[in-house]
Amino acid sequence: MHKRVKELIEEPLKSINIKLDDVEYVKEGSMYFLRVIIDKEPYVDVDTCVKATEIINPILDKIENEFDDAYILDVCSKEKGGN
């Protein structure tokens, strides 16, 4: 499923200069998360995540019946740096 989501949202995000880094569909505890990881120069801020979410939500609404379980959409930035 995450590959299909990635295919559907990559170009619309690119049109507003947001790079789609990855899409993950994971279960954490009893909840499922559709995690969309984005990147943008010079950095990703809250406004960038909001804009990305505004683009992604209507796309996901069109394919919601393809998900077996309810999920939480989590749009976040690509981690920078690290160990």
Side-chain angles (χ1 to χ4, degrees):
M1 174 52 61
H2 67 281
K3 284 180 82 172
R4 175 146 162 70
V5 171
K6 192 171 186 175
E7 291 171 358
L8 291 171
I9 66 174
E10 191 164 26
E11 286 302 316
L13 290 175
K14 186 188 278 187
S15 73
I16 60 167
N17 299 316
I18 296 175
K19 179 183 179 259
L20 178 61
D21 189 64
D22 201 4
V23 174
E24 303 171 343
Y25 186 62
V26 296
K27 185 175 185 180
E28 295 178 4
S30 62
M31 298 297 304
Y32 284 90
F33 289 84
L34 180 62
R35 188 160 291 126
V36 177
I37 304 162
I38 59 173
D39 197 9
K40 183 176 180 179
E41 292 297 329
Y43 56 86
V44 174
D45 59 10
V46 173
D47 289 336
T48 305
C49 291
V50 169
K51 287 178 188 173
T53 301
E54 289 171 348
I55 286 182
I56 295 167
N57 269 330
I59 295 168
L60 294 180
D61 286 347
K62 293 178 183 176
I63 64 165
E64 70 179 277
N65 61 340
E66 295 181 29
F67 288 90
D68 293 333
D69 299 288
Y71 63 89
I72 296 170
L73 176 61
D74 178 18
V75 178
C76 57
S77 66
K78 180 179 176 179
E79 291 183 2
K80 300 277 185 184
N83 296 333

